[in-house]
């Protein structure tokens, strides 16, 4: 599709600047966190998110409510559905699976999207309507009327791997899953060997939601055995499970935490790393500074190790140093950038000079 692509950070910024009376349509694969991101974002603003799964609705009555005779007027009214806000407070109406809905359901959505009304009942002022659709040959979809599509601002949602890894770190996802995706990023959302459109819907393939479920199983486990492999296969498919178990059995990469707390001990190991491995370590350092609060007793060591690590990169691994400095000027790790700017001002100037020198 030719619509604009946004990652998670950009989506949140887009929500900030988009007026409430604009409808948004998020286009993306299943399992990439659309509903979770919206729920978290609006929860901080005190707005409830009401998710309606339109693909599961068989009749417009599921959406607009049950008809009822008004004894006063003798006319038919519709009882408000369970989700409709009767307190006058705005809500976020999340219309999931819009392009899986039956045509008669979509006709009801037309009035809702244009006039903010449902069976004559108006949504409270300030309410938002956000829909989500899947795109791809592997889905059984309903063609959307151009008149309905025109009522939405359309955005292709493409969250980055690094954003997922940062979320995983904050959410306590098992470190073995985080380590695997750091090293083998192509396994996060799909089987890298699969052909486009090959998924029938019955074959298990990896997605972000699935890796969280893998983590739920691993947290109760130590050593991985044949049963764990089967359980993981049931979630992300046998090929992804095999790659994961093999990775977990191999040596573990140096973590960002280890570099920040004990750089001299891991320096020799890092010296043998290639650029792609050091890039993983670089992101791990920023994730550590983004998520974890450095104790006062560790602060001197962290500051020194941070400066020594970058100085070592600049001298011995120049491409990795460029990657590390570029992470500082990007917007993926705002807390980490604030920490470095506050605690390591000389290093901050080195980063800025280094990036300018590259350009």
């Amino acid at each position: 599709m030719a619509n604009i692509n946004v990652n998670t950070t950009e989506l949140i910024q887009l929500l900030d600047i988009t007026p409430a009376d604009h409808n948004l349509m998020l286009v993306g694969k299943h399992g990439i966190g659309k509903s979770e991101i919206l729920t978290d974002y609006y929860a901080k603003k005190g707005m409830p998110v009401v998710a309606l799964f339109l693909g599961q609705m068989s009749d417009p009555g599921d959406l607009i409510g049950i008809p009822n005779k008004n004894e006063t007027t003798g006319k038919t009214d519709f009882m408000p559905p369970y989700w409709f806000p009767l307190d006058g407070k705005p809500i976020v109406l999340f219309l999931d699976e819009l392009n899986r809905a039956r045509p008669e359901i979509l006709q009801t959505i037309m009035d809702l999207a244009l006039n903010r009304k449902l069976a004559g009942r108006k949504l409270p002022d300030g309410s938002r309507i956000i829909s989500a659709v899947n795109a791809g040959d592997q889905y059984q979809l309903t063609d959307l009327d151009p008149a309905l599509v025109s009522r939405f601002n359309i955005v292709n949602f493409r969250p980055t791997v690094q954003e997922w890894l940062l979320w995983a770190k904050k959410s306590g996802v098992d470190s073995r899953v985080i380590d695997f995706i750091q090293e083998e990023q192509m396994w996060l959302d799909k089987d890298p060997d699969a052909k486009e459109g090959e998924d029938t819907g019955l074959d298990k393939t990896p997605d972000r939601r699935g890796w969280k479920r893998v983590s739920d199983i691993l947290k109760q486990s130590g050593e991985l055995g044949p049963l764990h492999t089967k359980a993981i296969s049931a979630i992300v498919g046998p090929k992804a499970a095999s790659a994961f178990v093999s990775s977990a059995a191999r040596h573990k990469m140096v973590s960002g935490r280890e570099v920040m707390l004990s750089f001299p001990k891991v320096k020799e190991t890092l010296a043998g790393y290639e650029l792609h491995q050091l890039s993983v370590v670089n992101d791990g350092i920023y994730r550590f500074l983004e998520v974890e609060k450095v104790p006062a007793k560790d602060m001197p060591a962290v500051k020194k190790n941070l400066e020594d690590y970058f100085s070592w990169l600049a001298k011995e691994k120049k491409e990795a140093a460029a990657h590390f400095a570029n992470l500082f000027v990007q917007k993926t790790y705002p807390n980490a950038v604030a920490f470095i700017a506050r605690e390591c001002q000389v290093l901050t100037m080195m980063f800025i000079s280094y990036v300018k020198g590259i350009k």
Side-chain angles (χ1 to χ4, degrees):
M1 300 181 73
N3 303 302
I4 64 163
N5 292 338
V6 301
N7 58 33
T8 303
T9 301
E10 293 168 330
L11 174 60
I12 291 172
Q13 293 170 343
L14 201 62
L15 294 173
D16 285 335
I17 67 172
T18 302
D21 59 354
H22 285 212
N23 306 320
L24 286 176
M25 182 183 293
L26 305 183
V27 183
K29 288 184 60 179
H30 63 279
I32 59 176
K34 296 185 288 290
S35 60
E36 291 89 344
I37 290 168
L38 292 175
T39 300
D40 290 345
Y41 173 82
Y42 285 108
K44 295 174 183 175
K45 295 182 175 295
M47 289 181 68
V49 176
V50 178
L52 301 179
F53 297 94
L54 302 185
Q56 300 176 10
M57 293 185 175
S58 59
D59 183 88
D62 296 337
L63 183 63
I64 64 177
I66 300 173
N68 179 60
K69 180 180 178 181
N70 187 316
E71 297 297 339
T72 302
T73 64
K75 298 180 179 180
T76 298
D77 293 333
F78 284 87
M79 298 289 289
Y82 73 93
W83 57 266
F84 197 92
L86 299 178
D87 57 4
K89 295 180 180 179
I91 64 168
V92 179
L93 191 56
F94 181 49
L95 306 176
D96 204 359
E97 303 178 340
L98 182 66
N99 58 343
R100 290 173 181 259
R102 295 170 178 267
E104 55 269 28
I105 300 292
L106 293 176
Q107 292 300 318
T108 303
I109 297 297
M110 290 277 277
D111 187 37
L112 184 62
L114 179 62
N115 301 312
R116 301 300 178 94
K117 288 184 178 180
L118 195 62
R121 189 175 288 107
K122 197 174 187 306
L123 286 175
D125 291 341
S127 294
R128 287 182 173 270
I129 297 176
I130 301 175
S131 68
V133 300
N134 298 130
D137 296 336
Q138 66 269 44
Y139 301 107
Q140 296 180 357
L141 306 175
T142 304
D143 289 335
L144 297 179
D145 190 312
L148 176 60
V149 173
S150 71
R151 288 162 166 76
F152 289 85
N153 303 350
I154 302 180
V155 175
N156 286 340
F157 182 43
R158 302 289 186 269
T160 67
V161 175
Q162 295 307 327
E163 287 173 332
W164 185 86
L165 287 168
L166 182 56
W167 170 86
K169 178 75 173 174
K170 291 178 178 177
S171 303
V173 169
D174 190 275
S175 61
R176 286 167 286 186
V177 173
I178 294 176
D179 291 342
F180 173 65
I181 298 300
Q182 280 189 125
E183 296 184 52
E184 308 286 348
Q185 297 185 7
M186 66 278 193
W187 284 107
L188 177 59
D189 288 308
K190 64 177 182 178
D191 173 358
D193 299 324
K195 295 179 181 178
E196 196 66 34
E198 188 176 49
D199 183 12
T200 65
L202 298 176
D203 299 320
K204 289 301 294 185
T205 55
D207 59 44
R208 299 171 187 227
R209 184 186 299 140
W211 287 115
K212 172 60 172 64
R213 296 206 298 267
V214 170
S215 171
D216 294 340
I217 290 177
L218 294 181
K219 283 184 176 181
Q220 305 175 44
S221 310
E223 290 266 332
L224 300 182
L227 184 61
H228 294 102
T229 302
K230 291 184 177 182
I232 296 168
S233 296
I235 299 171
V236 295
K239 291 177 70 175
S242 176
F244 171 77
V245 172
S246 297
S247 173
R250 293 196 304 268
H251 70 279
K252 177 178 173 291
M253 282 189 67
V254 173
S255 69
R257 166 187 278 274
E258 289 172 312
V259 176
M260 288 296 88
L261 297 181
S262 53
F263 172 56
K265 293 183 180 179
V266 298
K267 183 177 178 179
E268 185 177 345
T269 302
L270 293 172
Y273 278 13
E274 301 291 335
L275 174 61
H276 71 280
Q277 294 170 305
L278 288 171
S279 297
V280 169
V281 174
N282 288 346
D283 275 296
I285 290 171
Y286 274 86
R287 272 197 303 278
F288 170 79
L289 297 175
E290 179 74 17
V291 174
E292 301 196 29
K293 184 176 175 58
V294 178
K297 65 181 180 63
D298 293 330
M299 189 68 75
V302 168
K303 291 165 63 174
K304 185 176 188 308
N305 287 331
L306 187 60
E307 293 170 352
D308 289 350
Y309 175 71
F310 181 72
S311 296
W312 174 75
L313 287 182
K315 181 180 178 181
E316 304 289 341
K317 307 279 186 177
K318 289 182 169 53
E319 288 182 307
H323 174 262
F324 195 83
N326 266 311
L327 289 175
F328 181 82
V329 299
Q330 294 172 4
K331 298 179 179 179
T332 307
Y333 305 107
N335 293 337
V337 169
F339 174 89
I340 296 171
R342 183 178 64 250
E343 302 293 342
C344 307
Q345 296 178 3
V346 173
L347 184 59
T348 298
M349 297 306 298
M350 290 174 62
F351 283 163
I352 295 172
S353 298
Y354 206 90
V355 172
K356 286 182 177 178
I358 297 169
K359 298 176 180 177

